[in-house]
Amino acid sequence: MEKHYAVIGHPIEHSLSPVMHKAGYEALGVNAKYHRFDVEPRHLPEAVEGLCALGFSGWNVTLPHKEHIIPFLNTLTPQAKRAGAVNTVKIQEGQRIGHNTDGVGFVRSVEKELNGFKGKLAVLLGAGGASKGIALALAEQGMKVHILNRKLEKAEALVEVIQREGGTATAGALAPEGWLEEVDLLVQTTSVGLHGESFPFSVQGISEQALVVDIIFNPSETAFLHEAKQQGCRTLNGLGMLLYQGVYAWEFWLGGQAPVEAMGQALQDQLLRRMLNTF
Ligand SMILES: NC(=O)c1ccc[n+]([C@@H]2O[C@H](COP(=O)([O-])OP(=O)(O)OC[C@H]3O[C@@H](n4cnc5c(N)ncnc54)[C@H](OP(=O)(O)O)[C@@H]3O)[C@@H](O)[C@H]2O)c1
C-alpha cells in the first residue's frame, strides 16, 4: 500500500525536504509520496487532525511549529523530550509519536571531520531552537559546550537544561574571547548571514585546528564561514545537518538504512538549480 509523508511549516515553499525524500523513495523503490503543506500557526490543530484522518504515516515539522505541535501528540521520544521540540512525527497504531533528529543529524554531519567528541570544546554562537538541539546532542557525546548569545539569559537557560541532563556547559556574551584559541568545534547557529550580512565579530586569531560550521546552507558560504576559511580552519555549511536529519527521519519512519548518497545528491542538485535560476 502506498504511504504518505509530508513536511508542514510556514512558510514552506523553499523546503528541500520533498526533493530529498522523493529521491530516497526512487533510489530504493519505496512506494511512498512526500507532500509539502503550508500550515499557518492558527490552523496547526486541524492540520494534525487532517493528516491523521487522511492516513499519513508521518510528517516532518519545521518553523514555526516545532514546539507548538507537542500538545497534539501522544508520546515523545527521549530526544524530542530533551530538546523540547519535534521535527518528525510518526503514526504508529494510531499513536502520534514526536521525535527530534536535528541534534543527531548535526552530530553525524561533523563526526568524520572532528574525529572524536569526548572532552573537546564546542562553542555555539546563538541559543535559539537549532542551537538547543545541537548543544544537547554535543553534550551527550561528551563535549564541553560553551554557548554565546546576544540575549545572555537564553544561553544561561540552555546551559541549565544541559547541566540537568548531566552535561558540561557554560554561557557567555556573544563576543570573541579566550575560547578562540582553544575551540575544537565552532558552530554558528544564528540567522545572521542568511542575507549576506557579516557576523557581529571577527574570528581572527582562531585556532587553525578548529572545525567551523555555519548551519546556514543557502548561501553555501556565509561571510562568517568565509572568514574562518581564510584563517586556515576546516569549514562546513549546514547542508550535512539538513541531509542527516532527513536520513534519521527516514529511518525512524521506514526502518532500515536510508539511501544517503541519493538523498544528498538530490539536495545538491536542487540547490544548484535554484542558484542558476537566480541568474
Ligand atoms: N542546516 C539545517 O538543517 C538547519 C536547521 C535548523 C535551522 N537552521 C538555520 O539556523 C538558523 C537559526 O534557526 P533557529 O531555528 O535556531 O532560529 P531561532 O530559534 O529564531 O534563533 C535565532 C538565533 O539567532 C540569534 N540572532 C538573530 N539575529 C541576530 C543578530 N542580528 N545578532 C546576533 N544574534 C542574532 C538569536 O539571538 P537572540 O536570542 O539574542 O535573539 C537566536 O540565538 C537559521 O538561519 C536557520 O535557517 C539550519
Side-chain angles (χ1 to χ4, degrees):
M1 202 178 74
E2 190 175 56
K3 291 185 172 202
H4 290 267
Y5 297 94
V7 56
I8 62 169
H10 180 72
I12 199 67
E13 66 268 24
H14 294 300
S15 171
L16 293 169
S17 292
V19 141
M20 169 170 56
H21 283 276
K22 281 177 190 170
Y25 302 151
E26 270 171 33
L28 291 192
V30 174
N31 186 14
K33 288 222 157 61
Y34 193 99
H35 309 259
R36 181 179 65 187
F37 296 121
D38 192 323
V39 176
E40 285 182 34
R42 66 197 166 106
H43 291 313
L44 182 62
E46 299 102 289
V48 171
E49 292 307 322
L51 287 164
C52 292
L54 290 167
F56 273 68
S57 302
W59 58 89
N60 286 128
V61 184
T62 187
L63 292 179
H65 305 311
K66 286 186 178 185
E67 292 171 10
H68 296 123
I69 196 164
I70 290 176
F72 308 107
L73 305 176
N74 299 107
T75 48
L76 297 181
T77 61
Q79 292 88 337
K81 228 180 259 173
R82 271 199 298 273
V86 163
N87 79 330
T88 306
V89 175
K90 175 161 77 171
I91 304 299
Q92 194 168 29
E93 291 161 11
Q95 293 290 297
R96 306 161 184 181
I97 306 167
H99 186 39
N100 194 310
T101 65
D102 283 333
V104 283
F106 179 84
V107 164
R108 174 95 176 262
S109 74
V110 297
E111 70 185 355
K112 257 198 209 133
E113 283 289 337
L114 198 61
N115 196 16
F117 294 91
K118 221 171 174 53
K120 290 186 176 167
L121 174 64
V123 175
L124 269 64
L125 310 176
S131 174
K132 191 172 180 186
I134 294 170
L136 280 157
L138 292 176
E140 204 180 353
Q141 295 295 322
M143 288 193 94
K144 295 176 278 180
V145 184
H146 188 44
I147 302 158
L148 314 180
N149 199 45
R150 185 174 56 174
K151 293 179 189 137
L152 182 59
E153 65 277 12
K154 272 171 72 181
E156 287 170 341
L158 181 46
V159 163
E160 263 184 52
V161 176
I162 293 169
Q163 287 175 342
R164 229 181 294 135
E165 294 290 328
T168 306
T170 47
L174 194 61
E177 285 168 7
W179 55 262
L180 268 177
E181 291 135 42
E182 294 163 29
V183 62
D184 297 296
L185 173 65
L186 177 61
V187 194
Q188 195 307 96
T189 77
T190 77
S191 39
V192 179
L194 267 178
H195 307 291
E197 323 86 290
S198 51
F199 199 72
F201 63 78
S202 160
V203 292
Q204 213 169 3
I206 189 171
S207 157
E208 276 184 26
Q209 306 306 314
L211 173 63
V212 180
V213 185
D214 193 323
I215 66 166
I216 292 173
F217 53 82
N218 192 13
S220 61
E221 188 176 89
T222 57
F224 176 83
L225 216 53
H226 183 72
E227 196 201 6
K229 200 183 257 178
Q230 283 183 328
Q231 294 293 311
C233 298
R234 289 161 299 143
T235 58
L236 290 175
N237 70 16
L239 205 57
M241 175 178 174
L242 178 72
L243 169 63
Y244 286 111
Q245 63 77 32
V247 162
Y248 284 119
W250 163 296
E251 292 175 356
F252 182 61
W253 287 329
L254 291 160
Q257 282 199 333
V260 179
E261 269 182 36
M263 292 168 80
Q265 192 60 51
L267 280 181
Q268 282 182 357
D269 291 349
Q270 181 69 4
L271 278 173
L272 189 65
R273 263 194 297 273
R274 280 191 191 169
M275 221 171 71
L276 292 174
N277 282 339
T278 58
F279 290 117

